[in-house]
């Protein structure tokens, strides 16, 4: 293979990515500007992103930010409504709900981050392999993914949690497993269509090897649907974790998970509506924000993730 | 058509086989002695020995699996550890409640979702389209247990119109009572489904309204209402059918979360209480039945779809 060919192929594959050969540094330098322009066009997404940043910072810095220790009981003021000293009210043991919701955010966000990172890499790689090697291995991978999709998500999650036991890790593993097939399907579809593009064909005819073609040429160009899917998967992961905890199969009390708090609060609806309502509102706002960003990304990059959002079930 | 039907039937075999293997292995995957998993920790040595014999736990796994499949095929899903009742009977007891809830849910979901989707598609880009888009995003983002709790809060606790815990009253016995008892969980699930349906109806309507034959009909002077509701919706209803079918199949398998919010005695609560009681024989049987129902409903949806849309008959799945 002669050097000029190689350069031409490289140039073609980068050009298709929407950047020029020296584009890497230029893209970085203008990254913030591009983000600002995007945020100006997608105002609801910008608001949603601010909320998520705020929530993440609060969750990470919870011991500093939270006004009280989430486990500290105060039997003198139980099941109180919102007040200046307890903006989200208190629970049946007089614990500050705002602090519990902030600490609970750690569980939700950690589950989402772990599930998306692992399911995205496993599913993405499986889909890449299945799309690149279409024959027997590809078909086998996809049939297994079909099987995972053929079982209602929450049922599969609950069965996995039942086998593994209760707690943060069983719930996170369950949520991760059921997030994999959507990534695999999307990655495969995206790889199949990218494979047909001219720049891939020319890179191939320039003599590029399989791993170069797979990881350097095809994968970067097939990535954007997966990033959109990551937002859907993150929202679904947070919902499912909360649902598992609500059912008593996730993180156990006294850990302040949002789902657990709502399940406990439900028993005290007659005494205090705020106890169950506040974690529910924050949970809803979080999922809604992630969905909003996902839809904005979808408008920017295209791609179809409706199916997986619809599969959240109940 | 027959060939397509046969092809689709063959496709569900590996799913059912894999599901049965997964469900069978469940008892063995739970950490600890599988006999204890089945009998519970307080079992006597006698009881444990009996279960070990009955379930054939001393046999190789493959033999156990074949035995188990033979029993399942003959309708024997084993006995519940807690109530000692046959699992098949427990499932059959709960099924009518779940079927009634599913029908009510889909009725509410379709009654809200289809008009919302049609209105947003025909007024694409208007404020009402944006408001309805917000509605469907919200319905997908609010967890069912939040909707359920707010519902109980408003209608059960504050207004006291409805009971705070729901129950199963067959519609044929007492229509009024059945509506009162089912409306909570049905609305909670129906709200979620209506968002899904509205999105699909809107998306496929927008696509169809752009097609040539609609432009032709419009040029010929067909009224806008007739155009949208008759000409376009007929074509756009096909993709919607698929999503309705999938939701229908999902809810027939019981809604674990919503049923437990309202204490509604369906399949979902059966599975959940079995899991919480570690009654794994019930979990095994119920999960297997639910997966089979879900697969069959999906098959029925596909067949119906291809029956209504001859272009797809020879289709293959991706």
């Amino acid at each position: 293979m002669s050097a000029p060919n190689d350069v031409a192929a490289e140039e073609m594959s980068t050009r298709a990515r929407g950047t020029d050969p020296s584009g890497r540094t230029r893209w970085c330098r203008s990254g913030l500007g591009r983000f600002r322009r995007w945020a100006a066009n997608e105002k609801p997404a910008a608001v949603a992103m601010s909320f998520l940043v705020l929530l993440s910072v609060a969750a990470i810095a919870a011991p500093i930010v939270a006004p009280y220790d989430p486990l500290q009981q105060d039997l003198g003021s139980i099941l109180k409504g919102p007040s200046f000293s307890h903006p989200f009210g208190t629970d049946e043991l007089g614990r500050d709900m705002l602090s519990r919701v902030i600490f609970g955010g750690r569980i939700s966000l950690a589950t989402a981050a772990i599930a998306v990172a692992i399911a995205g890499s496993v599913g993405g790689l499986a889909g890449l392999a299945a799309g690149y090697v279409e024959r027997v291995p590809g078909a086998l991978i996809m049939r297994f993914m079909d099987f995972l999709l053929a079982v209602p998500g929450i049922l599969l999650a609950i069965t996995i949690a039942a086998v593994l036991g209760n707690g943060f890790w069983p719930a996170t593993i369950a949520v991760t497993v059921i997030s994999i097939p959507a990534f695999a399907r999307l990655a495969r579809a995206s790889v199949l269509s990218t494979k047909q593009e001219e720049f891939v064909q020319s890179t191939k005819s320039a003599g590029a090897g399989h791993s170069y073609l797979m990881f350097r040429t095809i994968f970067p160009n097939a990535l954007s649907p997966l990033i959109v899917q990551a937002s859907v998967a993150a929202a679904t992961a947070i919902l499912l974790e909360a649902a598992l905890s609500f059912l008593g199969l996730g993180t156990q009390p006294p850990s302040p998970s949002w789902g657990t708090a709502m399940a406990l609060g439900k028993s005290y609806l007659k005494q205090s509506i705020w106890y169950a309502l506040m974690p529910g509102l924050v949970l809803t706002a979080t999922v809604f924000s992630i969905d909003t960003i996902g839809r904005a990304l979808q408008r920017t990059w295209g791609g179809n993730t409706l199916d997986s959002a619809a599969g959240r079930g109940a | 058509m027959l060939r397509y039907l046969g092809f689709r039937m063959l496709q569900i075999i590996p799913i059912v086989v894999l599901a049965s293997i997964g469900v069978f292995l469940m008892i063995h995957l739970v950490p600890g002695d599988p006999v204890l998993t089945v009998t519970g920790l307080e079992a006597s040595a006698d009881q444990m020995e009996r279960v070990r014999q009955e379930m054939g736990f001393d046999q190789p796994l493959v033999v156990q699996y074949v035995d188990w499949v033979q029993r399942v095929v003959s309708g024997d899903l084993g006995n519940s550890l807690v109530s000692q009742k046959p699992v098949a009977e427990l499932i059959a007891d709960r099924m009518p409640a779940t079927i009634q809830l599913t029908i009510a849910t889909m009725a509410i979901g379709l009654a809200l979702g289809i008009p919302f989707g049609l209105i947003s598609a025909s007024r694409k880009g208007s404020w009402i389209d944006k408001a309805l888009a917000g509605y469907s995003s919200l319905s997908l983002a609010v967890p069912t247990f939040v909707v359920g709790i707010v519902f109980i809060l408003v209608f059960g606790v504050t207004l006291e119109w409805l009971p705070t815990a729901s129950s199963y009253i067959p519609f044929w016995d007492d229509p009024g009572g059945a509506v009162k008892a089912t409306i909570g969980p049905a609305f909670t699930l129906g709200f979620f489904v209506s968002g899904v349906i509205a999105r699909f109806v809107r998306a496929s309507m927008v696509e169809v309204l752009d097609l040539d034959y609609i432009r032709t009909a419009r040029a010929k002077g067909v009224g806008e209402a007739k155009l949208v509701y008759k000409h376009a919706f007929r074509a756009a209803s096909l993709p919607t059918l698929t999503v309705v079918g999938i939701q229908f199949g999902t809810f027939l398998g019981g809604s674990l979360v919503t049923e437990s919010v309202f204490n509604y005695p369906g399949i979902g609560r059966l599975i959940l209480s079995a899991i919480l009681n570690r009654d794994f024989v019930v979990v095994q049987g119920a999960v297997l039945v639910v997966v089979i129902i879900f697969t069959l409903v999906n098959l029925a949806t596909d067949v119906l779809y291809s029956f209504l849309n001859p272009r797809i008959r020879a289709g293959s799945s991706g």
Side-chain angles (χ1 to χ4, degrees):
Chain A
M1 168 170 74
S2 65
N5 259 348
D6 203 7
V7 172
E10 166 81 343
E11 197 178 317
M12 266 182 213
S13 84
T14 39
R15 195 174 288 155
R17 231 177 293 168
T19 53
D20 55 33
S22 61
R24 188 132 225 107
T25 47
R26 272 179 53 191
W27 193 90
C28 287
R29 218 181 300 143
S30 66
L32 192 65
R34 277 174 51 156
F35 174 73
R36 272 202 197 129
R37 226 173 308 139
W38 179 79
N41 282 331
E42 300 281 359
K43 287 210 182 72
V47 174
M49 201 169 269
S50 322
F51 173 75
L52 289 179
V53 168
L54 200 72
L55 184 77
S56 314
V57 170
I60 292 166
I64 306 166
V65 177
Y68 298 88
D69 177 343
L71 300 178
Q72 183 198 319
Q73 305 183 2
D74 175 5
L75 297 173
S77 63
I78 58 168
L79 298 169
K80 288 277 188 298
S83 64
F84 187 72
S85 53
H86 299 286
F88 281 18
T90 58
D91 69 4
E92 81 277 22
L93 297 171
R95 296 175 294 196
D96 176 52
M97 280 310 289
L98 174 62
S99 307
R100 291 184 66 74
V101 167
I102 290 174
F103 273 89
R106 294 185 143 191
I107 298 167
S108 293
L109 295 177
T111 303
I114 296 169
V116 170
I118 298 179
S121 345
V122 173
L125 285 177
L128 173 64
Y132 192 80
V133 193
E134 279 175 68
R135 289 180 201 183
V136 179
L140 275 180
I141 292 173
M142 291 324 290
R143 286 297 83 77
F144 184 66
M145 297 298 164
D146 283 349
F147 165 68
L148 287 182
L149 281 174
V151 182
I154 179 109
L155 186 68
L156 187 58
I158 248 172
T159 317
I160 295 173
V163 170
L164 297 179
N166 305 330
F168 174 79
W169 283 107
T172 304
I173 292 170
V175 171
T176 306
V177 170
I178 66 165
S179 311
I180 292 174
F183 279 107
R185 273 208 169 174
L186 273 174
R188 176 173 172 273
S190 181
V191 164
L192 282 180
S193 71
T194 309
K195 237 163 85 174
Q196 307 305 324
E197 301 270 350
E198 261 175 41
F199 70 88
V200 175
Q201 298 302 329
S202 54
T203 311
K204 196 173 172 185
S205 53
H210 286 303
S211 66
Y212 188 93
L213 267 178
M214 266 172 88
F215 292 105
R216 299 290 297 273
T217 314
I218 296 175
F219 200 50
N221 288 290
L223 209 56
S224 51
L226 294 188
I227 296 175
V228 178
Q229 175 58 29
S231 70
V232 176
T236 309
I238 289 176
L239 274 178
L240 274 176
E241 189 281 325
L244 286 175
S245 298
F246 181 81
L247 296 175
L249 297 168
T251 322
Q252 297 295 305
S255 165
S257 136
W258 294 343
T260 315
M262 293 195 62
L264 291 171
K266 197 193 146 224
S267 327
Y268 298 99
L269 280 181
K270 289 203 167 96
Q271 291 93 327
S272 164
I273 58 169
W274 305 102
Y275 181 7
L277 210 54
M278 283 317 211
L281 289 180
V282 175
L283 169 63
T284 305
T286 308
V287 175
F288 192 67
S289 300
I290 300 177
D291 278 351
T292 306
I293 295 170
R295 276 195 312 281
L297 289 176
Q298 204 172 344
R299 276 192 291 273
T300 314
W301 286 331
N304 185 12
T305 54
L306 257 183
D307 290 342
S308 29
R312 274 172 195 167
Chain B
M1 188 65 204
L2 273 178
R3 243 183 96 188
Y4 174 71
L5 206 96
F7 176 67
R8 276 300 277 116
M9 296 276 266
L10 283 179
Q11 271 186 328
I12 67 171
I13 292 174
I15 292 176
V16 172
V17 170
L18 267 178
S20 72
I21 294 175
V23 162
F24 166 77
L25 286 178
M26 198 160 76
I27 284 187
H28 297 269
L29 288 173
V30 176
D33 188 342
V35 177
L36 282 179
T37 304
V38 173
T39 56
L41 292 176
E42 289 108 45
S44 63
D46 251 21
Q47 214 178 343
M48 281 181 65
E49 198 43 48
R50 195 169 48 84
V51 168
R52 200 185 298 276
Q53 294 280 322
E54 241 173 55
M55 309 281 287
F57 282 134
D58 38 5
Q59 306 276 327
L61 268 185
V62 182
V63 178
Q64 288 184 43
Y65 174 70
V66 172
D67 277 359
W68 178 74
V69 168
Q70 275 172 351
R71 265 181 286 143
V72 167
V73 170
S74 68
D76 175 15
L77 293 168
N79 290 328
S80 157
L81 160 74
V82 178
S83 65
Q84 307 299 335
K85 280 189 187 160
V87 174
E89 202 181 300
L90 289 174
I91 296 173
D93 279 353
R94 299 297 188 100
M95 215 50 221
T98 289
I99 292 174
Q100 180 163 311
L101 176 57
T102 304
I103 292 172
T105 297
M106 294 315 288
I108 293 175
L110 289 167
L112 293 173
I114 290 182
F116 286 179
L118 288 177
I119 293 169
S120 1
S122 58
R123 307 236 159 77
K124 195 180 149 196
S126 69
W127 66 269
I128 195 163
D129 179 25
K130 282 179 191 144
L132 289 174
Y135 169 87
S136 27
S137 316
L138 195 68
S139 79
L140 288 173
V142 195
T144 47
F145 48 92
V146 175
V147 180
I149 284 177
V150 171
F151 191 94
I152 294 176
L153 206 57
V154 174
F155 295 101
V157 177
T158 312
L159 298 172
E160 294 187 0
W161 288 355
L162 297 167
T164 51
S166 132
S167 53
Y168 171 58
I169 301 174
F171 189 75
W172 312 118
D173 294 0
D174 173 12
V179 167
K180 259 191 160 177
T182 322
I183 186 84
F187 173 79
T188 302
L189 292 171
F191 174 63
F192 168 78
V193 182
S194 70
V196 180
I197 292 175
R199 268 198 189 181
F200 269 83
V201 169
R202 183 189 180 277
S204 42
M205 280 295 283
V206 164
E207 215 169 273
V208 172
L209 284 172
D210 243 17
L211 294 179
D212 285 343
Y213 83 95
I214 294 293
R215 208 176 307 145
T216 312
R218 188 175 279 141
K220 273 167 57 187
V222 176
E224 199 60 30
K226 198 177 169 193
L227 199 73
V228 170
Y229 298 111
K230 197 169 164 220
H231 290 239
F233 184 57
R234 189 177 282 179
S237 57
L238 268 178
T240 312
L241 178 77
T242 311
V243 72
V244 170
I246 291 175
Q247 298 296 334
F248 194 76
T250 309
F251 293 133
L252 268 188
S255 333
L256 290 142
V257 181
T258 309
E259 287 184 2
S260 93
V261 170
F262 288 92
N263 278 322
Y264 188 82
I267 293 281
R269 265 205 69 71
L270 177 72
I271 295 179
L272 183 68
S273 50
I275 285 177
L276 294 175
N277 291 328
R278 307 200 73 72
D279 192 348
F280 276 96
V281 182
V282 174
V283 179
Q284 259 190 332
V287 169
L288 186 66
V289 169
V290 166
V291 171
I292 291 174
I293 292 177
F294 184 68
T295 317
L296 287 179
V297 173
N298 280 354
L299 171 74
T301 311
D302 272 8
V303 169
L304 193 62
Y305 184 90
S306 68
F307 183 71
L308 295 173
N309 185 358
R311 275 179 300 179
I312 311 295
R313 269 176 213 171
S316 59
S317 69

